[in-house]
Amino acid sequence: MPKLQVALYWASSCGGCEIATLAIGDKILQLAEAADIVFWPVAIDAKYADVENMADKSIDACLFNGAIRNSENEHMAKLLRRKSRLLIAYGSCAYEGCIPGLANFFTAKSILENTYIDAASNDNASKVIPRTLVTVPEGELEIPEFYDTVKTLAQTVEVDYFVPGCPPEESTTWLALEALLSGNLPPKGTVISPPGTAVCNDCPRIKHEKKVKAFHRPYEIIPEPDKCLLEQGLLCCGMATRGGCGAPCPQANMPCTGCYGPVEGVRDQGSHFLTALASIIDSNDPDEIKKILDGIVDPAGYAYRYSLPDSMLRRARVSP
Amino acid sequence: MTDFEPKIVAFLCNWCSYRGADLAGTSRIKCAANVRAIRVMCSGRVEPAFVLRAFELGADGVLVLGCHPGDCHYAEGNYKALRRMELLKRTLGQLGVGQDRFRLDWVSASEGDHFSHIVNEMTEKVRALGPFKSKEESKVA
Ligand code: SF4
Ligand code: SF4
Ligand code: FES
């Protein structure tokens, strides 16, 4: 059997997904045995031009991590889509927009001005801001265009599979690779993840009826070791998050922040979480309810930490 | 934009607010015709996702109306709505959807005039704000 031709790419991401790919450990040898890696900027020296010169659909599968934040990301998404039989949105950024997607609370203009002019540590008296095109004595220089709105991979090109996680757990990554190597592929559009309804289902903490009088941030309290964190007032997204990760965060005393995305059948993870959260507030008094909610300092940022671009509203309506 | 007619989606609870709207109609109270009513059994049935979905599909404003506190036919449903919609309102604020586009209020079966007052007030506020989405983005008629 000819070896599989595999490509890996990073668009707007932190690099964690690259490390997550390597976290499969020894199994990387099984991958190397069954597949040729034809393009992987972090590990092998192939250039964009090499990809352009490949025949269309000559790559069997491309694991694409990172969101679409600028014109270079978009160009590579379209190029790799054309060259690949299967395109897999690997990790939360490609799947739902993730942390880079929080930029959708702002505009390109406000981000650039803040970063290059207003930030206290800047020394930029002439107020220089990166521009897509600039003419210098040596000629014209071009850098990728920085977009207003961060998009997911599937909002940019057709995607065959999704792999959740920020970054995906080792077992999740291997599940996807195993499916590719064996040719035993799930239906198109599947979110490839170990079976599991919600993170709460995999979480060993003891659950009671939830009634909360105050919310806390993790640094404010030392949680009891065995009791559900949400019952202790910590904002745990376990009930609104796809299971399959094995619930490592609540087992390490940290609330789940929701990186595996919405549970099956739900489109908007943030509002699903807010619905559950509001339901456990133990008060019927409007003023007390408001006071309890004051304990949630950044509800939109918290609920949509990983999924703002993929949410129903996709971005905040703000003036430039 | 002079020809802009706001589209307002109103989730009305079956036992009070829907009847209040009905009463406004049968009493021939003048009321802006901008509301698309969606009857739900209780305001406690309205998930924040319903509100977002309405905006996603092209609503310019969303109303959630239920029985007055203490009067919900399922005892606690409107208190649930109160908690959820207060949290949603804060979240929408961060997403640039101001308070004038989203409102939770109480209308009993006998308050046809109150219903029309809320609808008229909201319609004018949203009219002043303009469309929520551009024409190209919007999908509902
Ligand atoms: S809310 Fe968090 S701590 Fe509680 S059961 Fe679910 S995952 Fe575990
Ligand atoms: S517990 Fe939550 S935040 Fe932690 S890995 Fe699982 S889904 Fe991600
Ligand atoms: S039945 Fe009207 S609010 Fe519950």
Side-chain angles (χ1 to χ4, degrees):
Chain A
M1 210 176 90
K3 278 188 161 189
L4 283 178
Q5 308 291 296
V6 172
L8 294 96
Y9 187 67
W10 52 3
S12 180
S13 65
C14 70
C17 280
E18 309 291 331
I19 295 162
T21 323
L22 293 173
I24 59 173
D26 292 354
K27 292 182 182 134
I28 198 97
L29 298 174
Q30 285 184 51
L31 178 68
E33 222 167 80
D36 284 331
I37 295 177
V38 294
F39 180 60
W40 191 7
V42 80
I44 64 170
D45 188 21
K47 308 290 188 215
Y48 288 0
D50 299 326
V51 182
E52 270 148 27
N53 289 332
M54 293 175 189
D56 285 0
K57 304 291 172 215
S58 62
I59 299 170
D60 291 300
C62 172
L63 259 62
F64 190 109
N65 75 68
I68 310 302
R69 178 338 124 242
N70 63 31
S71 55
E72 180 188 15
N73 303 151
E74 185 182 350
H75 170 72
M76 288 309 288
K78 288 180 173 161
L79 179 64
L80 286 163
R81 172 68 282 184
R82 207 167 71 231
K83 301 296 174 185
S84 313
R85 263 189 330 107
L86 295 174
L87 182 67
I88 298 146
Y90 178 80
S92 175
C93 288
Y95 171 28
E96 339 165 72
C98 199
I99 306 299
L102 290 172
N104 288 0
F105 280 112
F106 309 95
T107 59
K109 186 167 177 283
S110 69
I111 291 171
L112 290 174
E113 284 177 0
N114 192 286
T115 311
Y116 288 92
I117 299 173
D118 301 335
S121 58
N122 279 342
D123 179 7
N124 182 5
S126 47
K127 299 194 189 310
V128 178
I129 278 186
R131 274 185 290 155
T132 308
L133 269 179
V134 62
T135 314
V136 292
E138 292 79 10
E140 215 168 51
L141 292 177
E142 192 179 348
I143 57 168
E145 187 190 340
F146 187 73
Y147 292 153
D148 251 332
T149 299
V150 174
K151 287 184 177 173
T152 68
L153 185 59
Q155 286 165 354
T156 310
V157 291
E158 202 176 321
V159 169
D160 297 289
Y161 300 110
F162 303 87
V163 179
C166 176
E169 287 289 308
E170 174 197 327
S171 55
T172 308
T173 301
W174 185 240
L175 205 66
L177 290 176
E178 230 181 356
L180 288 179
L181 298 181
S182 67
N184 204 353
L185 292 161
K188 187 175 166 157
T190 298
V191 179
I192 302 179
S193 175
T197 45
V199 172
C200 288
N201 234 32
D202 300 335
C203 172
R205 288 180 175 268
I206 298 161
K207 299 125 183 135
H208 308 90
E209 195 192 343
K210 294 176 175 36
K211 279 179 181 288
V212 168
K213 281 272 185 209
F215 291 112
H216 311 288
R217 306 179 83 178
Y219 73 85
E220 291 171 336
I221 61 163
I222 295 173
E224 290 173 40
D226 301 321
K227 188 174 160 189
C228 165
L229 295 170
L230 191 57
E231 287 166 28
Q232 302 183 59
L234 291 172
L235 300 179
C236 188
C237 300
M239 89 307 281
T241 305
R242 174 186 293 274
C245 63
C249 302
Q251 291 183 74
N253 281 342
M254 282 302 284
C256 167
T257 51
C259 82
Y260 263 52
V263 298
E264 197 69 47
V266 168
R267 257 196 62 207
D268 193 285
Q269 182 185 16
S271 63
H272 197 215
F273 175 59
L274 295 175
T275 303
L277 201 58
S279 304
I280 64 169
I281 293 170
D282 186 18
S283 173
N284 282 347
D285 173 65
D287 291 332
E288 195 187 13
I289 291 171
K290 284 186 184 152
K291 237 188 79 210
I292 297 174
L293 287 175
D294 287 344
I296 306 172
V297 284
D298 175 15
Y302 201 88
Y304 292 105
R305 181 183 299 216
Y306 300 98
S307 63
L308 184 58
D310 203 31
S311 69
M312 287 183 183
L313 296 187
R314 291 190 177 195
R315 62 162 297 116
R317 260 69 188 169
V318 283
S319 44
Chain B
M1 206 173 155
T2 45
D3 60 347
F4 169 57
E5 276 303 330
K7 290 184 285 264
I8 294 171
V9 171
F11 295 97
L12 308 177
C13 95
N14 181 53
W15 303 103
C16 287
S17 311
Y18 193 81
R19 284 156 205 233
D22 225 15
L23 183 66
T26 49
S27 324
R28 297 174 184 274
I29 297 171
K30 271 218 166 19
C31 192
N34 298 63
V35 157
R36 277 76 170 155
I38 297 179
R39 179 160 59 161
V40 289
M41 287 311 284
C42 174
S43 63
R45 175 64 188 97
V46 182
E47 287 178 35
F50 294 7
V51 177
L52 295 173
R53 181 84 174 133
F55 281 120
E56 185 187 28
L57 289 176
D60 302 303
V62 180
L63 268 172
V64 177
L65 300 179
C67 313
H68 285 267
D71 289 350
C72 171
H73 285 236
Y74 306 98
E76 291 264 333
N78 51 4
Y79 289 114
K80 278 210 173 80
L82 182 65
R83 294 176 216 135
R84 283 179 181 163
M85 297 307 150
E86 176 60 32
L87 183 52
L88 177 64
K89 205 191 313 174
R90 294 175 183 211
T91 309
L92 285 175
Q94 289 183 277
L95 288 165
V97 186
Q99 311 234 347
D100 288 344
R101 289 199 193 270
F102 171 67
R103 175 164 173 181
L104 169 75
D105 218 318
W106 318 121
V107 170
S108 80
S110 62
E111 293 177 323
D113 48 348
H114 188 42
F115 174 82
S116 73
H117 173 75
I118 290 173
V119 166
N120 291 340
E121 195 176 88
M122 178 128 187
T123 304
E124 285 328 302
K125 280 185 173 168
V126 174
R127 192 191 302 283
L129 285 172
F132 177 64
K133 282 186 167 188
S134 64
K135 273 229 153 58
E136 307 78 65
E137 274 182 298
S138 178
K139 284 186 226 134
V140 286

